[in-house]
Amino acid sequence: MFILSSIVGVKLLITSIKKRSVILRCFSISIFIFSIKTVYISNTFSYNNFSIKLISAFLTYMVFLIIIIGCVVEFNLLYVKSNVLNKELRKFYNLAHFNSHTYIFICDKDLNISYMNNKAKNYFKCDISSKELKESLLKINDVRDNIDDIIKTLERDGVWRGILRSNENKSIVDCFIQSMYLDESAGTEDILVSYVDITDRINLEAELNSHKINDIRKSEFISTLSHELKTPLNIFYSTIQLLEEIKSVNEEEFSKVYDKYSNTLKINSKRMLRLVNNIVDTTRIDSGAFNAEFGNYEIISLVEDIVLSTVSFAEYKNIKVEFDTNVEEHYIKCDPNMIEKIVLNLLSNAIKYSKNNGYIKINLILESDIIRFIVSDNGIGIDEKIKGKIFDRFSRGDNSLNRLNEGSGVGLSIVKSMIDIHNGNVTVESVLGKGSTFEVQLPNIKIEDELEEIYEYNRDKTVLELSDIY
Ligand code: ADP
């Protein structure tokens, strides 16, 4: 008995040291005391003495006392440990649940939500695992379109990371998804979804980028502008020099040379004036001081007059100009000065970017809600790469200084601003090398209780606006 209990005691002692268990240590000590007691009793069995009984009872009490002390210490240690663990758990829980940076939720493959942190709850404003939440997740087009891919990637790699966009509220999120067994005893895999909203960052980056592009365009514009100003200024300067030289020699010769160059001087003055006008318009648009003077004007004759005034300019390049309309007379709410600029700009471009012997067709089509003004040419066309940018400020197809056509790249941006002021729309269709079609749509509306007027078109404006065609 002594040997058996000693062996059990030693084993328990070794295990208690390994496991650092107080209770096991107490048990092993108790077993030792118990084995000492058995030896003691077996050796004093023949003596019926009070002190022997007392010692035996004392040893028994000792055994129980040590076990009780062991239990108390062990429970106390466990209590302290679980308290520390609880504190750590709460920290992690708070970290996830009250995280103000990251949206976190846990769901299964069918998007049944089992947990949402506070941020996600506040955002979706519905209860965990509610049907609405699943529906609102699937409403996000990027989630709907990518869900199968995400699940496949999760099955293969265990993680998925990507950018998801919502068309509805225009938000962009950086999303990290991981599949894991959060509760191993349940045996089902959970999907942990965490994401941060990066809409502001992306928008800021896009804004910065557009500022950078604008800066590049501005520098290009300044170099174009310098070129545009230098050409006429050089002409003025060299003509003056020539005239001065001749004047000192022969007055008669002077007037002959003056007559020869006066037209070039006029054209170049007009080109400079047009350029400066465009720059002034651009700054007025930027400062918001570009206001329309609306009235009810007869649009058909106004556009037709402008078109007819450009025919002689198109003839320089042997270009045919055709005008067609489905209505003879019609009044709409418009600013005739702006209409002039819009029509002249589109026609000037059509002539400028057309080859010799080309054609330009102009159609004015009245529909119930809108009036469509279409300018088609069979000119050089617009490269697909810059087509989307031609209505942007300072955007030119050919930025080289030895380009074929003059132009500052502000004309179409002014056209677009003026059409916007009319609540209209402008689009372009073009095939490089084949030609371009610009379509302006203006609302077919009138100002109530206001007179109908006919605007007298002044041909000088055409001469000015088409001054860069030569
Ligand atoms: P620009 O003063 O350079 O003509 P615009 O703003 O009027 O400036 O036009 C911007 C660019 O759009 C032009 O540089 C040209 O590349 C392109 N573009 C405009 N109209 C036409 C057209 N009818 N055919 C071909 N390209 C065109």
Side-chain angles (χ1 to χ4, degrees):
M1 186 70 173
F2 173 73
I3 297 169
L4 189 73
S5 47
S6 301
I7 292 169
V8 174
V10 171
K11 278 202 163 180
L12 265 180
L13 189 65
I14 293 168
T15 322
S16 73
I17 291 167
K18 272 189 194 162
K19 293 198 170 175
R20 295 181 177 185
S21 163
V22 175
I23 188 100
L24 285 183
R25 219 166 288 174
C26 292
F27 268 125
S28 66
I29 294 167
S30 306
I31 287 170
F32 275 128
I33 296 172
F34 187 69
S35 54
I36 290 167
K37 185 192 160 182
T38 36
V39 173
Y40 179 74
I41 289 177
S42 58
N43 286 335
T44 54
F45 187 65
S46 44
Y47 313 102
N48 196 0
N49 178 318
F50 175 73
S51 60
I52 291 169
K53 279 184 183 166
L54 192 69
I55 289 170
S56 166
F58 172 72
L59 287 174
T60 309
Y61 282 125
M62 278 292 282
V63 167
F64 284 112
L65 193 67
I66 288 170
I67 290 174
I68 289 167
I69 290 171
C71 284
V72 170
V73 173
E74 185 72 35
F75 281 130
N76 199 37
L77 283 177
L78 271 178
Y79 177 75
V80 172
K81 246 192 215 171
S82 76
N83 249 358
V84 172
L85 213 67
N86 261 343
K87 266 189 191 165
E88 291 297 308
L89 265 178
R90 189 135 289 280
K91 259 190 221 165
F92 281 107
Y93 175 80
N94 286 346
L95 209 70
H97 198 70
F98 299 105
N99 196 310
S100 54
H101 177 250
T102 314
Y103 297 83
I104 301 170
F105 64 84
I106 298 167
C107 62
D108 62 15
K109 282 179 185 166
D110 296 322
L111 283 183
N112 296 313
I113 312 281
S114 54
Y115 168 79
M116 279 170 97
N117 77 346
N118 219 25
K119 195 165 169 75
K121 266 189 198 167
N122 287 343
Y123 179 77
F124 287 106
K125 292 187 185 70
C126 46
D127 295 335
I128 298 172
S129 73
S130 75
K131 239 177 88 190
E132 299 151 65
L133 182 71
K134 193 169 159 179
E135 279 166 12
S136 43
L137 280 176
L138 286 171
K139 256 191 215 155
I140 302 170
N141 37 326
D142 261 11
V143 173
R144 203 178 44 240
D145 299 346
N146 290 311
I147 189 108
D148 292 341
D149 265 2
I150 294 174
I151 300 285
K152 262 188 212 154
T153 316
L154 279 180
E155 280 167 358
R156 195 186 57 227
D157 306 333
V159 288
W160 182 92
R161 178 156 191 197
I163 304 288
L164 297 173
R165 286 162 201 271
S166 158
N167 279 0
E168 207 178 328
N169 57 6
K170 303 271 172 263
S171 59
I172 307 162
V173 299
D174 182 359
C175 185
F176 180 78
I177 305 177
Q178 183 178 0
S179 57
M180 52 165 67
Y181 287 98
L182 286 172
D183 178 5
E184 277 168 15
S185 62
T188 48
E189 220 175 351
D190 289 298
I191 295 176
L192 174 75
V193 183
S194 59
Y195 60 91
V196 283
D197 193 331
I198 52 167
T199 319
D200 289 345
R201 212 180 72 204
I202 297 278
N203 287 345
L204 199 70
E205 275 171 19
E207 203 177 313
L208 272 176
N209 236 4
S210 88
H211 282 309
K212 272 186 203 162
I213 293 170
N214 238 358
D215 276 351
I216 296 170
R217 289 226 188 103
K218 268 187 188 160
S219 317
E220 282 171 1
F221 175 66
I222 289 169
S223 107
T224 311
L225 199 67
S226 326
H227 175 78
E228 297 277 307
L229 290 173
K230 239 163 103 181
T231 314
L233 281 175
N234 276 338
I235 293 170
F236 298 148
Y237 189 63
S238 44
T239 315
I240 291 170
Q241 271 185 326
L242 181 72
L243 289 173
E244 267 177 2
E245 269 175 35
I246 295 168
K247 193 183 168 200
S248 57
V249 182
N250 184 337
E251 289 265 333
E252 212 176 297
E253 189 65 11
F254 174 84
S255 75
K256 262 195 212 160
V257 174
Y258 176 78
D259 288 345
K260 187 176 168 196
Y261 287 105
S262 69
N263 201 33
T264 318
L265 290 176
K266 269 188 218 152
I267 289 175
N268 280 287
S269 308
K270 277 172 191 150
R271 276 185 54 196
M272 278 185 81
L273 189 61
R274 177 181 185 246
L275 190 63
V276 172
N277 281 348
N278 276 347
I279 294 167
V280 171
D281 281 350
T282 324
T283 42
R284 277 174 60 212
I285 290 167
D286 282 350
S287 65
F290 203 59
N291 297 321
E293 284 179 24
F294 285 122
N296 292 327
Y297 289 96
E298 207 285 288
I299 187 84
I300 313 294
S301 63
L302 173 61
V303 173
E304 193 171 3
D305 285 351
I306 302 170
V307 171
L308 289 178
S309 72
T310 63
V311 171
S312 55
F313 290 86
E315 276 167 2
Y316 285 137
K317 293 171 88 173
N318 204 22
I319 293 169
K320 260 183 148 181
V321 178
E322 271 176 34
F323 175 79
D324 200 8
T325 175
N326 67 345
V327 62
E328 290 306 313
E329 193 183 295
H330 190 72
Y331 290 84
I332 62 161
K333 172 190 170 186
C334 65
D335 175 334
N337 282 305
M338 289 193 186
I339 298 293
E340 255 169 33
K341 270 222 141 188
I342 295 167
V343 177
L344 282 174
N345 231 302
L346 294 179
L347 286 174
S348 139
N349 277 347
I351 301 173
K352 212 162 60 170
Y353 300 108
S354 278
K355 293 163 256 175
N356 286 350
N357 310 317
Y359 69 80
I360 297 169
K361 285 185 184 155
I362 297 108
N363 271 295
L364 204 53
I365 303 165
L366 179 68
E367 289 178 4
S368 56
D369 299 337
I370 51 166
I371 184 150
R372 294 162 63 205
F373 168 62
I374 304 162
V375 182
S376 313
D377 64 63
N378 64 344
I380 61 170
I382 304 167
D383 193 333
E384 199 58 36
K385 274 187 253 157
I386 70 138
K387 207 174 86 181
K389 297 183 194 145
I390 57 170
F391 295 105
D392 294 349
R393 180 93 43 90
F394 315 133
S395 200
R396 302 190 73 255
D398 179 4
N399 278 325
S400 58
L401 290 182
N402 54 356
R403 58 189 179 263
L404 288 173
N405 297 293
E406 298 300 330
S408 51
V410 286
L412 285 182
S413 78
I414 295 173
V415 165
K416 175 138 182 28
S417 303
M418 288 178 172
I419 294 169
D420 287 346
I421 290 173
H422 280 78
N423 284 329
N425 189 30
V426 57
T427 53
V428 60
E429 295 285 326
S430 186
V431 179
L432 199 62
K434 294 234 161 108
S436 314
T437 300
F438 285 81
E439 176 166 337
V440 177
Q441 296 185 351
L442 297 177
N444 180 20
I445 49 168
K446 272 204 274 189
I447 309 171
E448 267 178 48
D449 305 325
E450 191 150 323
L451 282 174
E452 290 179 341
E453 289 175 74
I454 293 185
Y455 182 76
E456 283 302 323
Y457 178 65
N458 181 352
R459 233 191 84 89
D460 287 350
K461 298 236 177 100
T462 307
V463 180
L464 185 69
E465 290 299 326
L466 271 66
S467 55
D468 54 358
I469 293 165
Y470 53 87

